[in-house]
Structure formats: structure tokens, C-alpha cells
């Protein structure tokens, strides 16, 4: 498993040694799992404009590639992602009204949407501090694993800013409005164990077990009925904004679509034949 930079250099994508971006966002595909690793440990993996675009592109590629059946998003060093590093953004002229909203819409919000809309399940393996957009990047993932030393910080209020990158959308849906306001109003550091208690994290593991646990979870997903999981992801994500009639109709249609897949037929056949299913992701 790509659990370190040394492992991830064995990427299945074409080598591009002349492009430093490929060293700042490492990528490898291993047994149906796409590993995306932020690799700016000296900057606590604060994500630059170029890194953001590469992550968005890799998530889109994962959606389109039938050989990819799960995604793990992680980082190297002591930080998962310390937020956005705007120093690498394209130069612009004098700011005019609408520039900030456009930057957020086309930047941080696109990154979060890319995770939410990825057609493959995405696991966040949070190895350290996740602050600002870094925290939202983790919370947007379908499953969140955190090292015991990890912490989450809604850092915006410390800078006199409004939370962006989907924070005010994600947090109330995950932990309710009162808890979300507490985190966002005070900007206190939230230890991994407390994040797990609140429901922001699925599992906290010792630091040295994070990579192995992420591999095990990702492999289970990669061996599952990929299209069924994708449809389930869509249903759950949409359910928070839908009334019962809409949610029920979407559920019925999703099952209608799912029953056309080979994996659904395999699942039923394996049950009838009393054997373990062998899903192919189609």
C-alpha cells in the first residue's frame, strides 16, 4: 500500500519528473484504490492553487476510470492540510466587487464539490492537523479515519473570516447547528478523539496504524459493488436537502438503475447459491 512517499512513487500514471506538481500531490493506483497524497510537509500541506486543480483532476479521473473503485485522500508529515495557500494563485489585477465570491466558488468550493461528487467512495486518512479548508476537505469525504494526534480547527474566525469551502454547509449536517456554531464561533482546536465523539470522524487509530487501517477499509470498498456504493453515496448526500417524497422517489429510481448492473445480479445469485459474491465494479 502507498503508506509513504517511497511507496507512492510507484504510480501507475505516466512519470513526469520535470513537473514539480507531481511531487507535491503524489498519486498511485494500487489494487483498485486511487491514493492521492498531499506532499508539502514543510508547509503543513497548505494547498496551493495548482495542487487543488490536480486533486480535482485526480478525483474526476477516479470517477471515470472503471479500474478505480475507491479513493484515499491523505498527506505526508505532521499536517493533513493547514488550509489554502493562495500564494500560488494566478495573478489578478485590481480587485473588483465579485472577485472574492468568484475565487471561492471556483476554488475551495470546487474542491469540496469534487469530493462530494466523486463517483467512487473517498476515505480521508487524516494524519495530522486539518485546519480551515483542510478540515472541510476531510469532512467532505465519505469516511474519515484520523490518527490519534490529528486535530481539526475551524480557523476562519481567528482571521476574522467567514468559513468557506462548504464549512457552513457540511458541519451542521454532520453534527447539528449548535455544535457547528461552537466550532466556528470559537475556532478552538478539536482533538481527534473529540471529533470522533461528535460524529465528524468514523474511527481514531494510533498514528502508526493509520495507513494500514486506510488500506484495509479502501480494499473492502474496492472489492464491493462499486455502482451500488456510488448510488448509495448520492442518495445519502442528497437526503439532507430532500423531503420524504423526493428521497423515496430517488431511492426507488436508484434501485431501478442498480438492478441493471452485473454486480446486483451477482449479489442476488450468490445469495441464492449460498456463496460469497465476487463483485467486478460494473
Amino acid at each position: 500500500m502507498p503508506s509513504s512517499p517511497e511507496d507512492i512513487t510507484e504510480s501507475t500514471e505516466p512519470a513526469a519528473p520535470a513537473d514539480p506538481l507531481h511531487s507535491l500531490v503524489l498519486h498511485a493506483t494500487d489494487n483498485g484504490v486511487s491514493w492521492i497524497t498531499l506532499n508539502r510537509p514543510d508547509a503543513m500541506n497548505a494547498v496551493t492553487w495548482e495542487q487543488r486543480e490536480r486533486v480535482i483532476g485526480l478525483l474526476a479521473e477516479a470517477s471515470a476510470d472503471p479500474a478505480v473503485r475507491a479513493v484515499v485522500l491523505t498527506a505526508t508529515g505532521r499536517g493533513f492540510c493547514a488550509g489554502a495557500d493562495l500564494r500560488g494563485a494566478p495573478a489578478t489585477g485590481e480587485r473588483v466587487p465579485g472577485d472574492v465570491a468568484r475565487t471561492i466558488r471556483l476554488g475551495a468550493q470546487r474542491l469540496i464539490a469534487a469530493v462530494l461528487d466523486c463517483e467512487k467512495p473517498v476515505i480521508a486518512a487524516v494524519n495530522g492537523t486539518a485546519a480551515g479548508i483542510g478540515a472541510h476537505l476531510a469532512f467532505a469525504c465519505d469516511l474519515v479515519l484520523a490518527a490519534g494526534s490529528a486535530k481539526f480547527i475551524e480557523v476562519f474566525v481567528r482571521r476574522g473570516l467567514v468559513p468557506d469551502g462548504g464549512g457552513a454547509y457540511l458541519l451542521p449536517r454532520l453534527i447539528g447547528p449548535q455544535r457547528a456554531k461552537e466550532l466556528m464561533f470559537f475556532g478552538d482546536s478539536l482533538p481527534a478523539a473529540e471529533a470522533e465523539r461528535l460524529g465528524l470522524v468514523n474511527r481514531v487509530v494510533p498514528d502508526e496504524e493509520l495507513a494500514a487501517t486506510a488500506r484495509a477499509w479502501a480494499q473492502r470498498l474496492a472489492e464491493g459493488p462499486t455502482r451500488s456504493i456510488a448510488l448509495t453515496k448520492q442518495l445519502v448526500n442528497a437526503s439532507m436537502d430532500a423531503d420524504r417524497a423526493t428521497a423515496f422517489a430517488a431511492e426507488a429510481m436508484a434501485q431501478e438503475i442498480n438492478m441493471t448492473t452485473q454486480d446486483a445480479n451477482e449479489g442476488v445469485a450468490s445469495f441464492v447459491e449460498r456463496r460469497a459474491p465476487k463483485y467486478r465494479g460494473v
Side-chain angles (χ1 to χ4, degrees):
M1 182 211 59
S3 58
S4 68
E6 291 74 17
D7 294 326
I8 298 176
T9 54
E10 300 179 2
S11 173
T12 58
E13 64 182 21
D19 185 356
L21 181 58
H22 284 69
S23 69
L24 298 179
V25 180
L26 305 175
H27 180 240
T29 300
D30 178 24
N31 291 327
V33 180
S34 174
W35 290 81
I36 302 173
T37 305
L38 301 178
N39 187 38
R40 289 183 72 213
D42 55 328
M44 295 288 285
N45 292 305
V47 65
T48 65
W49 182 88
E50 292 89 350
Q51 285 178 296
R52 183 193 70 217
E53 293 304 306
R54 176 157 161 79
V55 171
I56 290 172
L58 290 171
L59 289 167
E61 290 175 14
S63 287
D65 188 350
V68 173
R69 298 172 65 183
V71 177
V72 175
L73 184 58
T74 190
T76 59
R78 297 182 299 107
F80 174 73
C81 177
D85 185 343
L86 300 180
R87 288 173 294 182
T92 59
E94 183 179 354
R95 181 184 296 170
V96 298
D99 281 353
V100 173
R102 187 181 309 106
T103 297
I104 293 171
R105 186 173 65 251
L106 299 180
Q109 291 177 350
R110 278 182 59 242
L111 176 60
I112 298 305
V115 178
L116 293 170
D117 295 339
C118 183
E119 296 179 28
K120 308 300 167 61
V122 183
I123 297 173
V126 183
N127 54 295
T129 299
I133 186 64
H136 301 165
L137 183 61
F139 299 152
C141 292
D142 303 300
L143 299 170
V144 183
L145 294 169
S149 64
K151 55 185 176 181
F152 302 85
I153 310 172
E154 287 297 319
V155 75
F156 298 94
V157 71
R158 299 185 184 183
R159 309 290 181 259
L161 301 174
V162 171
D164 61 38
Y169 173 85
L170 292 168
L171 263 72
R173 286 163 172 76
L174 292 169
I175 59 176
Q178 304 307 121
R179 290 290 193 180
K181 291 172 186 175
E182 179 183 345
L183 294 179
M184 291 179 169
F185 288 1
F186 294 123
D188 292 335
S189 177
L190 186 70
E194 180 66 7
E196 181 183 29
R197 189 186 70 80
L198 290 176
L200 289 169
V201 168
N202 292 88
R203 189 80 53 83
V204 176
V205 298
D207 288 31
E208 64 274 13
E209 295 179 14
L210 180 66
T213 305
R215 175 199 282 181
W217 281 34
Q219 202 58 57
R220 288 184 64 186
L221 291 171
E223 293 170 359
T226 307
R227 299 313 307 164
S228 170
I229 293 173
L231 288 165
T232 301
K233 173 175 178 172
Q234 293 174 15
L235 286 174
V236 173
N237 285 352
S239 70
M240 302 303 294
D241 301 309
D243 57 39
R244 186 180 69 181
T246 301
F248 276 24
E251 177 187 272
M253 184 54 65
Q255 195 68 290
E256 175 78 19
I257 295 170
N258 185 63
M259 289 307 295
T260 67
T261 67
Q262 294 180 28
D263 280 348
N265 292 329
E266 167 64 9
V268 173
S270 65
F271 174 76
V272 172
E273 298 167 10
R274 298 183 179 181
R275 59 176 174 81
K278 294 182 180 179
Y279 296 120
R280 298 172 53 201
V282 293

